[in-house]
Amino acid sequence: MTGSSEIRPYRIEIPQADLDDLRDRIARTRWGAALPGGPWERGVPAGYLRELAEYWRTSYDWRAHEAELNRHPQFVTEIDGATVHFLHVRSPEPDALPLLLAHGWPGSIVEFLDMIGPLTDPRAHGGDPADAFHVVIPSLPGFGLSGPTREPGWSTGRTAAAFAELMSRLGYERYGAQGGDLGAFIAPELGRIDTGKVVGVHVNAATFGFIPFGEVPEDERAGLTDVERARLERRAHWTEDGSAYFQIQATRPQTLAYGLTDSPVGQLAWVVEKFKEWSHPSEALPEAAIDRDRMLTNVMLYWLTDTIGSAANMYYENMHAAGGWNATPPTTPTGVAAFAEDIAIRRYAEAGNNIVHWSDFSEGGHFAALEVPEVLTADVRAFFRPLRDEKP
């Protein structure tokens, strides 16, 4: 790793001019003409987006949410040429286990805000103090408050290496890792590269390494449970009707970045569509599962930091990484929380992971930390409970 290893305190202080510019841009949106049709069948409906954008412009209070974020200790450091921003909240319990929480796309550190208190101070939240964690919540390089990356190559593998260095700089010799979406790539990779320190890996919204590769033969499909068949169908639907964003970000992220960086409403539509389609129930508006202000705060972290383009680049880097995907099966104990909109299937996950814990839930979706934080917190506690005193 290159660069200074200094860790500096950080506080979010967005200039008022940036907020005024945002409101002005929303007010001057060129909306275009929408074709008639059923809601959401061609993408985000104009009526819904107009109302949400106007709420964003006139009612949403960034300063209140900035203050909420600033209540947690924040820091920045440079690792491998990139700025890494992170929250670091230590537990009052002296024997707490360090835990790194890795978000995904189009998420951010905002995903974990409702979990920080219960994870770090279970005694104050009706839990067992023996389940306490010191939490480290980084903004992925190229995402949010870490700012845009300045060079190519920032795949999830390189990010995992940076996070291993971060935990070392913080003095943690034993720790756990948890992540969803891209975080479910990063956390298992930490288990591979930092095997002497990572006591366990917990994931949700898991895909690569936790699902079948290619088509599943009919005779194999016949042996699946109803829940597993439903997940296969959900994966097929995503491939056929929901993966265009992936293809664009994995092949032409720079072309996409111009429009999303220039238009706040364009960026809002690109992100909110995923909150709608991936939260539970996916048929409902995203606000049925996720607080509207929390969702907009997540969008703000991309807008205010000019990172919607560099974040999209992580898909490109993963698909073009030298040497391809790291498919080396990790030996680290691994736990999976599979929520109602997830597609992970245990029998396929076991082929490439040391699965010691698996939970299937009929609620929650891709953004479980936002949708059902208490359920995800309980599962994280349950997974790490028997691992706390074991050596990696």
Side-chain angles (χ1 to χ4, degrees):
M1 298 291 175
T2 61
S4 170
S5 60
E6 179 188 7
I7 294 174
R8 305 182 303 279
Y10 182 87
R11 182 176 176 83
I12 308 169
E13 294 177 324
I14 299 300
Q16 185 60 40
D18 291 358
L19 304 181
D20 295 340
D21 175 69
L22 170 62
R23 294 190 181 98
D24 180 61
R25 286 172 180 266
I26 296 173
R28 293 187 295 105
T29 298
R30 187 182 182 194
W31 287 95
L35 290 173
W40 298 90
E41 71 178 21
R42 296 175 186 267
V44 184
Y48 171 78
L49 192 62
R50 280 178 179 268
E51 189 276 326
L52 181 60
E54 184 63 10
Y55 175 86
W56 190 16
R57 186 180 76 87
T58 62
S59 300
Y60 171 80
D61 183 0
W62 162 255
R63 293 301 185 198
H65 298 285
E66 181 182 66
E68 180 186 10
L69 286 164
N70 280 332
R71 282 196 288 272
H72 301 292
Q74 298 173 69
F75 305 88
V76 292
T77 190
E78 183 178 309
I79 302 176
D80 196 13
T83 297
V84 177
H85 162 273
F86 61 99
L87 306 183
H88 185 199
V89 186
R90 290 186 59 85
S91 171
E93 305 297 337
D95 296 327
L97 175 70
L99 177 65
L100 183 140
L101 301 171
H103 68 79
W105 184 92
S108 69
I109 59 170
V110 169
E111 291 186 61
F112 298 112
L113 289 180
D114 291 333
M115 295 176 63
I116 293 174
L119 287 174
T120 59
D121 194 2
R123 187 192 303 269
H125 292 81
D128 185 345
D131 286 329
F133 296 92
H134 303 305
V135 299
V136 178
I137 310 176
S139 299
L140 273 56
F143 287 66
L145 295 164
S146 285
T149 42
R150 296 182 290 272
E151 61 182 9
W154 277 98
S155 64
T156 50
R158 185 173 176 181
T159 298
F163 287 175
E165 171 66 13
L166 173 62
M167 297 303 278
S168 177
R169 288 185 188 182
L170 293 174
Y172 291 136
E173 295 299 319
R174 297 178 70 256
Y175 67 95
Q178 199 285 328
D181 186 75
L182 291 174
F185 288 65
I186 294 166
E189 186 65 10
L190 275 168
R192 293 184 183 96
I193 66 175
D194 219 7
T195 52
K197 296 182 178 181
V198 178
V199 301
V201 167
H202 184 279
V203 297
N204 65 289
T207 53
F208 178 77
F210 297 85
I211 58 176
F213 185 79
E215 291 300 314
V216 176
E218 282 301 320
D219 58 338
E220 188 174 317
R221 187 182 292 261
L224 300 179
T225 66
D226 290 343
V227 168
E228 291 171 335
R229 280 193 291 270
R231 289 179 183 161
L232 278 186
E233 291 170 6
R234 197 173 300 121
R235 184 190 69 154
H237 175 76
W238 177 85
T239 301
E240 296 166 6
D241 193 59
S243 62
Y245 80 96
F246 178 95
Q247 296 296 332
I248 293 172
Q249 295 190 161
T251 58
R252 300 294 187 273
Q254 187 59 53
T255 303
L256 173 70
Y258 298 118
L260 299 189
T261 300
D262 187 60
S263 169
V265 169
Q267 188 171 136
L268 178 65
W270 190 251
V271 172
V272 79
E273 180 185 88
K274 301 313 167 197
F275 277 97
K276 188 268 181 189
E277 293 186 345
W278 296 348
S279 58
H280 182 73
S282 58
E283 298 81 11
L285 294 178
E287 291 92 331
I290 302 168
D291 177 78
R292 172 176 277 200
D293 277 13
R294 188 58 55 83
M295 186 168 62
L296 287 172
T297 301
N298 183 82
V299 173
M300 287 289 274
L301 288 185
Y302 285 94
W303 176 261
L304 294 171
T305 59
D306 187 19
T307 54
I308 196 70
S310 57
N313 266 288
M314 188 167 281
Y315 285 80
Y316 182 94
E317 300 296 351
N318 274 3
M319 296 303 292
H320 295 81
W325 300 94
N326 186 349
T328 305
T331 57
T332 310
T334 301
V336 178
F339 290 90
E341 297 293 332
D342 288 342
I343 60 175
I345 297 176
R346 181 165 189 162
R347 65 187 70 197
Y348 301 109
E350 287 178 337
N353 299 276
N354 178 19
I355 303 295
V356 300
H357 172 99
W358 190 284
S359 300
D360 289 314
F361 297 103
S362 59
E363 58 186 324
H366 185 88
F367 303 99
L370 285 169
E371 299 175 60
V372 285
E374 69 288 346
V375 179
L376 181 56
T377 296
D379 202 66
V380 169
R381 288 173 176 169
F383 167 68
F384 281 104
R385 200 168 287 141
L387 303 175
R388 285 177 172 270
D389 297 327
E390 294 185 9
K391 293 184 178 181

